[in-house]
Amino acid sequence: MIRIAMLGSGFIGRFYADSIQGQRSKDKIVSIYARKEHNAKKFADDYGCEHYTSNMEDAIAHPDVDVVCIALPNNVHEEAVMLCCKHKKAVVTTKPLGRNGAEALRMLKAVEEAGIFNGYLEDLVYTPKFLKAYESVKNGALGKILWAKSRETHPGPHSDWFWNIELAGGGCILDLGCHCIEITRSFIGKDIKPAEVMCWADTQVKPIEAEDHAIGLIKYENGAIGQFEVSWTFRGGMDLRDEVMGTEGTIWINNFLRTGMEMFTTGKGADYVAEKAESNTGWLFPVGDEVNDLGYNHMFTEMFRCVENGTQPKETFYDGYVVNAVIDAAYKSAKSKLWEPIKLEVWRGLEGVSKASNLVDYDADNYLVKEEMTHYGAKKLILKNKHTGKIEERILE
Amino acid sequence: MIRIAMLGSGFIGRFYADSIQGQRSKDKIVSIYARKEHNAKKFADDYGCEHYTSNMEDAIAHPDVDVVCIALPNNVHEEAVMLCCKHKKAVVTTKPLGRNGAEALRMLKAVEEAGIFNGYLEDLVYTPKFLKAYESVKNGALGKILWAKSRETHPGPHSDWFWNIELAGGGCILDLGCHCIEITRSFIGKDIKPAEVMCWADTQVKPIEAEDHAIGLIKYENGAIGQFEVSWTFRGGMDLRDEVMGTEGTIWINNFLRTGMEMFTTGKGADYVAEKAESNTGWLFPVGDEVNDLGYNHMFTEMFRCVENGTQPKETFYDGYVVNAVIDAAYKSAKSKLWEPIKLEVWRGLEGVSKASNLVDYDADNYLVKEEMTHYGAKKLILKNKHTGKIEERILE
Amino acid sequence: MIRIAMLGSGFIGRFYADSIQGQRSKDKIVSIYARKEHNAKKFADDYGCEHYTSNMEDAIAHPDVDVVCIALPNNVHEEAVMLCCKHKKAVVTTKPLGRNGAEALRMLKAVEEAGIFNGYLEDLVYTPKFLKAYESVKNGALGKILWAKSRETHPGPHSDWFWNIELAGGGCILDLGCHCIEITRSFIGKDIKPAEVMCWADTQVKPIEAEDHAIGLIKYENGAIGQFEVSWTFRGGMDLRDEVMGTEGTIWINNFLRTGMEMFTTGKGADYVAEKAESNTGWLFPVGDEVNDLGYNHMFTEMFRCVENGTQPKETFYDGYVVNAVIDAAYKSAKSKLWEPIKLEVWRGLEGVSKASNLVDYDADNYLVKEEMTHYGAKKLILKNKHTGKIEERILE
Amino acid sequence: MIRIAMLGSGFIGRFYADSIQGQRSKDKIVSIYARKEHNAKKFADDYGCEHYTSNMEDAIAHPDVDVVCIALPNNVHEEAVMLCCKHKKAVVTTKPLGRNGAEALRMLKAVEEAGIFNGYLEDLVYTPKFLKAYESVKNGALGKILWAKSRETHPGPHSDWFWNIELAGGGCILDLGCHCIEITRSFIGKDIKPAEVMCWADTQVKPIEAEDHAIGLIKYENGAIGQFEVSWTFRGGMDLRDEVMGTEGTIWINNFLRTGMEMFTTGKGADYVAEKAESNTGWLFPVGDEVNDLGYNHMFTEMFRCVENGTQPKETFYDGYVVNAVIDAAYKSAKSKLWEPIKLEVWRGLEGVSKASNLVDYDADNYLVKEEMTHYGAKKLILKNKHTGKIEERILE
């Protein structure tokens, strides 16, 4: 049994609580901190917490607390982490880790120096579909990974602080891109160093200083490409899709808007209230079990097992730091319009990996360019002579 | 915390165990019974059970056991239930409850006489998508329900006993139709009496005595129609779909083969082993989190909460009995080729509900038949005069 | 070049004209008949017809006319066909052929006696998807066909006469079921005799005498089952889907609501007018090329080629008659609640086909019930002993 | 009636011929040129051409020929176009127009100087889905267009010359990107000047000099972004998808792999041969009517109508030139790693368009950032004060 202090009683704190205390859980939130006491009290009532407070340190230091779960705005992560270090409490924190690489690095160093358990709550690498896809990729079903794309777009976040660049640290790249970067990095291989980033970003619609739409390409040392597409201007709900291309296969994941559940309603039916503001009549696409489908259940299961076993979870502050470093380079690129190198003061993966050859031998003298079955049932080959470089068509009957 | 005796160490017993002990559960399987001791031991090792046995009564009577979970072939359900009655243990059992209505009724009466908790493990009314859809239906988003269809087809069950009509009690109607009947009955309203059944069934492909393909229509007292489509001859995986039509809307659910996850593999990638025998190369459609998506998690959560709170779960032996009674009528109809009345010795819902009128008034003199927006932007109405019965087109500009 | 007289200037007449004179066509509508002269004139203006009239016989007898195309309400088909016979003009007619089998049979006999070309405009067996699927079925990709289902449901037809049982001859079974019956019959084999029908039909919502919702099963002599699901009460657009199950495969076709085109609109965009009245904001699912996707182009191409070549098209009045005979049995069954035999005074396919065996030999002594790859990579077989009838599991490693 | 000389008897020439002479066409291919006479003869036999030749000029100059259709490898386009100019024949040419902007510009100038009809056969802006989507965009259903993406990836082209950078002029950017660029440009507005390009390109898998995978971003003067994703290394078939985001809506188009037709086959069915080499068993996704669905029918319809009417088609050599200029910049960017300006010596659209403001007023003092319906039915607003810049949450109950 894990006893948790939840910092933050808002949208994400409640999502975490629904996951942690949902179903037949042995874990429990024993303390809740919110800036405003009445919010803390409300949360405590809803989730049966024994202790609530508007003093962050009180929640962290509470003697019953094993693990601190940070569900606060980005600008308060560092303060909260430092208090966990001070009180030697295991800490898990929502994404992104910091508002930038420097903040993230300070947090990383602090928790490691303090020797405390640290987990990075990147839920989207714990969705059931990601986990299944990842296993296939690891087992080689797709061959070598060439490209991985993740897209997260919706009509904008719920709370005011997201829209304030000072508090949030950035716009949709920081809010949504952090997910996409870790998803694509995981498919490509977390040992492979992300080398440089090219990013376009713009404020196309919203009256804000930060970007509301961005697209980025991340080049890895082995030649693979990660891609993110993020926006706060998308209309139609929350679009959450991943795509992976390998030499031997393809994966397409739709996590939200097209998951096999479709509803049409005229809206005349009695007192129905729709769950998304974008539309509540016509064709709607609800998700069955949001808490599970967004990865929260599998994420906390792994985190808390690791706390109990004294092992490291799949996602730590180190990963949060790498993601922040990639985002820093993306922001720089959006301004400089150049491919910007990713600066990783701390890097724990492979070094100096070079681009692999994926050439396929046809025979001693030829590479296979392509083979294809013709309409009339013969096999058509396109070959390249290794010596002359000549391309040739050959029909096998 | 609930301590469980699992009866049966096969396919379904392991699915249940994965759900009950998966993630951060406080519940535990403390005893496992299997016909063959080495199977019981293997299960005990895999799931950390303290006690294993090849004597069913020993598992049930074990002093640590709070709840008995029956995961046995159909022909042994009754024996197991009677032992639970004898030892006054709460019991939950896999579907179908009995091989026929008479068996089911005896079990229903026995558990109620014994005064023990009884739960019917119809997982498919606990899938996340069903739960979400059901809530919308209850809130009126679809208006009045006119028709509900459930389809479950696949290439046939895993274990030998299913194919033996004596042990199983029937073919795909009993194995798969029990799901479909309870799903559609739930959408239409569990208080509404199922009145009669028309069923076609045949053994089209397999060398067995039972049916391997069947389609049935269930007429309810309020005029709504339930439909099941079941088969053991389907090629392409497991097709698990529900559809609901109401006066104000539509729901389509795909629980398995098209859920937003798609993978293509040439099969040349190293040591990949596919999860379904139907194909392991080309386009594959894995499910993210089978245990959750098939409803096991939400089902056991409700069952065990009810055990703790002393309340009745949504699905009890009574529901299992109603389903068996519908199936009995379906088998009778498949032979007689007639609509067969459903005989319910025990019925606890509404009596004598008649068909509701869904007519829509347009004005004092006319019913609205249809309205539609024309290409040129005017509203076109089709009306029926209440007095003369005349149908008339009217254009509103 | 074919010169056409179009009878009827309404919804379906215009659809036909769009197909016949769309794109780079060499064919031409030279005469148009409508009950009201101003409608005929309007059509003539829109499609460049030289001759228009409110006298049906004038259009048919017009010396420039090669082929008469009947696009009239059901109750006028027979009169129009008889005039074509009188003037020895080739005739193609919209579906259904007659309001019942007797009408259809009279028309069939008349055109054959008159020796004129006759085509039955069942467009849905000419859709591009049907044609492609049908070719695969014919080539054996699905093995032997066990079941074919076709579903057509929408919120009701456009014109007043459809809602009048006297003019239309019936409700959604006649209007929509005629499509479904010919689609499923084509997949099962047009040589195979449809033997009997079981049909449920009801007037669930609309203030009409005819049925607004029906489901039917058609048993063929070879044991295959055709199924239709039709309704005028469906909400959400036009649902047009076919499914086929064979011993070796499956086909799923979606002709309308999910064809790979998805649009979300808030409705705030300037002067957008939606094409379907069910909803014009939120998620919409337009069809790319309705005239082609509903089969009109391929249908008229075949019809007119056959007229030129003096050959018989795939769909003739004979097929229209068979469909009407099936519908007659369906209506009878809906009342009698019995499986009703299909009465075919004229039948030109195979006689006395019996149910084929689909048993698969495993070896001399056993039938194969099922084979499946286990999680651990071994092949699991379920066999049935031919002599003892015993079912047995066997693992091949 | 249009009489055509087809230059090229290969894959694309036959596709064009199937479209031009398919169904009830009044147009005719009267002359066919192929490099090898036996190929020309074979084509003439298959399509009923009166004249065949291995001398290109003979086909073009043939007195019966009204329009020349170029279906030749990229390196021969210019020669063929110049001969059309010499003989004053109307010319339509397959994509891309040239191997680069310089070639394209020479062809553009030549046809305009010669005063001949010129059409650019970009079929993918004539697909039924594109045409429908484009109409909605034009009518304002999506508001202002912010981003348009087009993706075309498959396992590589059929003929040897594509793989030879000298003959083809490039790799998948030239082969596939030309489609994507014109699609996205059309959605954004063909009057809006494409300003600069950032492109990543690599040869990841194939033994060739040209790129086999590329991603590009095209910035337009009004701030909109076009995106292309192209590859010859994709596994799973041909992936052909477009996505558009506007301030008021979204469009998703799937042109090929998921169009509402799905087939599973074990492959045991008799003599079935699948149409795509990537897989011929398991789940397959055929397209109903390739010739129509890829846009050929609507394209030739417009082209030939314009020839007859003496008007300009939607796609001319000028458009082909713009596309080539964008591709030139993309290739330059892939090498320089910079955003490269697009050099348009000829530009006929708007000049100096600046980025539009999409800000939404809430009231005199505030911009609306976002509105959303809360779980409890109240409207939540996020506003930005126009004067102070402060972001504020407001709940309307």
Side-chain angles (χ1 to χ4, degrees), chain D residues 49-309:
Chain D
C49 310
E50 292 144 25
H51 177 252
Y52 66 89
T53 175
S54 61
N55 179 309
M56 198 195 295
E57 191 161 1
D58 284 357
I60 294 169
H62 195 289
D64 289 351
V65 166
D66 302 317
V67 174
V68 176
C69 180
I70 301 176
L72 297 166
N74 300 347
N75 62 316
V76 205
H77 289 193
E78 190 171 2
E79 179 192 350
V81 166
M82 295 307 164
L83 287 169
C84 293
C85 292
K86 176 177 165 193
H87 294 281
K88 303 283 185 204
K89 290 289 172 85
V91 60
V92 296
T93 185
T94 192
K95 56 88 227 174
L97 179 55
R99 284 175 294 182
N100 50 58
E103 259 189 29
L105 187 56
R106 285 197 300 271
M107 288 187 255
L108 170 59
K109 288 182 172 170
V111 292
E112 299 196 340
E113 226 160 90
I116 58 175
F117 177 95
N118 56 94
Y120 176 54
L121 300 180
E122 175 42 71
D123 57 295
L124 294 187
V125 297
Y126 289 98
T127 67
K129 285 174 184 167
F130 177 89
L131 293 174
K132 185 79 100 184
Y134 179 71
E135 204 192 326
S136 292
V137 166
K138 232 178 40 188
N139 287 342
L142 266 60
K144 295 182 199 167
I145 302 306
L146 304 171
W147 173 79
K149 194 255 289 277
S150 179
R151 176 176 175 86
E152 180 164 357
T153 64
H154 59 51
H158 306 270
S159 300
D160 48 7
W161 68 264
F162 281 96
W163 304 94
N164 180 321
I165 198 169
E166 179 56 34
L167 303 182
C172 59
I173 297 179
L174 205 64
D175 179 28
L176 308 177
C178 63
H179 291 303
C180 303
I181 289 165
E182 191 62 356
I183 290 168
T184 54
R185 180 180 166 238
S186 299
F187 281 124
I188 288 167
K190 282 168 65 172
D191 267 2
I192 308 300
K193 201 169 184 175
E196 48 181 354
V197 182
M198 163 53 63
C199 179
W200 164 83
D202 199 358
T203 311
Q204 288 188 312
V205 174
K206 301 292 185 182
I208 57 172
E209 284 166 67
E211 75 287 355
D212 58 17
H213 195 169
I215 299 163
L217 297 177
I218 304 158
K219 203 183 293 174
Y220 284 77
E221 274 194 355
N222 67 351
I225 289 287
Q227 180 174 335
F228 62 80
E229 295 177 14
V230 293
S231 182
W232 285 345
T233 68
F234 179 76
R235 307 309 303 257
M238 181 156 79
D239 186 20
L240 214 56
R241 281 179 288 163
D242 306 324
E243 301 187 15
V244 190
M245 277 171 64
T247 51
E248 301 298 335
T250 295
I251 285 179
W252 292 339
I253 291 177
N254 195 322
N255 270 314
F256 220 77
L257 265 178
R258 296 292 183 274
T259 61
M261 181 161 185
E262 315 178 60
M263 178 162 72
F264 179 88
T265 173
T266 61
K268 282 182 206 150
D271 41 8
Y272 180 70
V273 173
E275 63 173 10
K276 290 274 162 232
E278 282 281 288
S279 63
N280 55 14
T281 61
W283 282 103
L284 306 173
F285 299 88
V287 167
D289 184 357
E290 229 169 291
V291 164
N292 192 63
D293 295 349
L294 290 178
Y296 297 117
N297 292 351
H298 291 89
M299 178 175 72
F300 283 116
T301 291
E302 201 222 5
M303 290 290 164
F304 294 162
R305 280 196 186 148
C306 288
V307 169
E308 288 173 341
N309 301 339

Side-chain angles (χ1 to χ4, degrees), chain C residues 34-55:
Chain C
R35 260 176 308 171
K36 298 182 182 160
E37 189 166 314
H38 69 270
N39 285 336
K41 180 168 185 337
K42 176 75 166 57
F43 186 103
D45 289 348
D46 291 345
Y47 292 98
C49 310
E50 292 144 26
H51 177 253
Y52 66 87
T53 175
S54 61
N55 179 310

Side-chain angles (χ1 to χ4, degrees), chain A residues 156 158 160 196 202 204 206-207 227 235 241 243 250 337 355 358 369-370 372 380 384 393, chain D residues 156 158 160 196 202 204 206-207 227 235 241 243 250 337 355 358 369-370 372 380 384 393:
Chain A
H158 306 270
D160 48 7
E196 48 180 356
D202 198 0
Q204 288 188 312
K206 302 292 185 182
Q227 180 175 336
R235 306 310 303 257
R241 281 179 290 162
E243 302 186 16
T250 295
K337 301 180 68 178
K355 205 179 132 182
N358 293 314
V369 179
K370 200 197 167 193
E372 165 172 6
K380 179 174 167 184
K384 177 174 186 168
E393 272 186 41
Chain D
H158 306 270
D160 48 7
E196 48 181 354
D202 199 358
Q204 288 188 312
K206 301 292 185 182
Q227 180 174 335
R235 307 309 303 257
R241 281 179 288 163
E243 301 187 15
T250 295
K337 300 180 69 178
K355 207 181 130 181
N358 293 314
V369 179
K370 201 198 166 192
E372 167 172 5
K380 178 174 167 184
K384 178 174 183 167
E393 271 185 42

Side-chain angles (χ1 to χ4, degrees), chain B residues 269-280:
Chain B
D271 42 8
Y272 178 70
V273 173
E275 63 173 8
K276 290 275 161 229
E278 282 281 286
S279 64
N280 55 13

Side-chain angles (χ1 to χ4, degrees), chain D residues 1-6 21 26-33 40-53 58-59 62-65:
Chain D
M1 180 190 181
I2 300 285
R3 295 164 308 170
I4 296 122
M6 182 67 68
Q21 299 196 168
K26 62 184 164 192
D27 306 313
K28 195 153 172 30
I29 299 166
V30 294
S31 174
I32 169 72
Y33 154 76
K41 181 170 185 332
K42 177 74 167 58
F43 186 103
D45 290 347
D46 291 345
Y47 292 97
C49 310
E50 292 144 25
H51 177 252
Y52 66 89
T53 175
D58 284 357
H62 195 289
D64 289 351
V65 166

Side-chain angles (χ1 to χ4, degrees), chain B residues 134-277:
Chain B
Y134 179 71
E135 204 191 326
S136 293
V137 165
K138 231 178 39 186
N139 288 341
L142 266 60
K144 295 183 200 167
I145 302 306
L146 303 171
W147 172 79
K149 194 257 289 276
S150 179
R151 176 176 173 87
E152 180 165 358
T153 63
H154 59 52
H158 306 270
S159 301
D160 47 8
W161 68 264
F162 281 96
W163 303 94
N164 179 321
I165 199 169
E166 179 56 34
L167 303 182
C172 59
I173 297 179
L174 205 64
D175 179 29
L176 308 177
C178 63
H179 290 303
C180 303
I181 289 166
E182 191 62 355
I183 289 168
T184 54
R185 180 181 165 236
S186 298
F187 280 124
I188 289 168
K190 283 168 66 173
D191 267 2
I192 307 301
K193 201 169 184 176
E196 47 180 356
V197 182
M198 164 52 63
C199 179
W200 164 82
D202 198 0
T203 310
Q204 289 188 312
V205 175
K206 301 293 185 181
I208 58 172
E209 285 166 67
E211 75 286 356
D212 59 17
H213 196 170
I215 298 164
L217 297 176
I218 303 158
K219 202 183 295 173
Y220 284 77
E221 274 195 354
N222 67 350
I225 289 286
Q227 180 175 336
F228 62 81
E229 294 177 14
V230 292
S231 183
W232 285 346
T233 68
F234 179 76
R235 306 311 302 257
M238 179 155 79
D239 186 20
L240 215 55
R241 282 180 286 163
D242 305 324
E243 302 187 15
V244 190
M245 277 171 66
T247 51
E248 300 298 334
T250 295
I251 285 179
W252 293 339
I253 292 177
N254 195 322
N255 271 313
F256 220 77
L257 264 178
R258 296 294 184 273
T259 61
M261 180 161 188
E262 315 177 59
M263 178 161 72
F264 178 88
T265 175
T266 62
K268 283 184 207 151
D271 42 8
Y272 178 70
V273 173
E275 63 173 8
K276 290 275 161 229

